[in-house]
Amino acid sequence: MAKKKTQKMNGTSDYAQIQRNIQKAKGNPNKNVHQKKNGSDYHLRDRTPKENVQQPSKSRMPLWVKIALGVAFGLLLVMVILINTSLKGNPLAVHGTALITGLSCLLVYYSRRFLNKKETTGFKVISMILLLLGAIYAAMGAYGLYLNFGQ
């Protein structure tokens, strides 16, 4: 007597059921196709550790430096406008503006240390120019005010 094939659900035979189970075990070949695209780093196990690449931490400028920069440049703007209009030729205004300009340059030099930039040669040159001009203008302004108030 021949062995009778047993019918499974939906009228499938044992062979078809075995093939379906094998396909389920393999998984869907079209599933997660985006993993195979170029540059995909979907799987953690496929990632290669990057060498010492860290997100630069965003160091923030202190609040007092932000306020001081705003006040210094606002005051400098007002002084330059006054020197060119109503206080033309006034030695106190001229020397005061020189002092404020020097202090502003020194403040900008100080605030540059909070930037997240690589210190290249150009960065260092600009920093030294700010430091030098800030010191010269501050000294000239302070000396001029000293001479005017000393009399």
Side-chain angles (χ1 to χ4, degrees), residues 23-151:
Q23 184 62 35
K24 278 186 180 179
K26 285 182 183 178
N28 187 354
N30 296 323
K31 186 177 181 183
N32 295 332
V33 176
H34 64 278
Q35 296 174 15
K36 298 176 186 176
K37 290 183 181 175
N38 290 340
S40 174
D41 56 354
Y42 182 75
H43 288 292
L44 291 175
R45 61 182 154 84
D46 293 339
R47 289 186 186 172
T48 56
K50 296 178 180 161
E51 299 175 14
N52 296 333
V53 177
Q54 294 178 346
Q55 185 83 7
S57 64
K58 188 169 186 173
S59 62
R60 295 183 48 206
M61 198 179 309
L63 182 63
W64 72 269
V65 174
K66 291 179 184 179
I67 293 171
L69 278 171
V71 167
F73 285 115
L75 188 60
L76 186 63
L77 181 66
V78 168
M79 290 295 288
V80 167
I81 290 171
L82 287 176
I83 279 180
N84 288 321
T85 56
S86 63
L87 297 177
K88 207 174 245 184
N90 187 346
L92 291 178
V94 171
H95 296 303
T97 304
L99 179 65
I100 293 171
T101 303
L103 293 178
S104 297
C105 285
L106 292 174
L107 193 58
V108 170
Y109 168 77
Y110 177 74
S111 68
R112 286 173 62 87
R113 72 180 223 167
F114 296 107
L115 295 176
N116 287 325
K117 291 187 177 179
K118 256 182 152 175
E119 290 195 16
T120 59
T121 305
F123 188 88
K124 291 178 183 177
V125 167
I126 290 174
S127 294
M128 287 300 115
I129 290 172
L130 279 171
L131 183 63
L132 182 66
L133 288 179
I136 289 171
Y137 270 99
M140 286 173 48
Y143 184 66
L145 287 176
Y146 171 74
L147 287 179
N148 284 323
F149 280 124
Q151 294 175 353

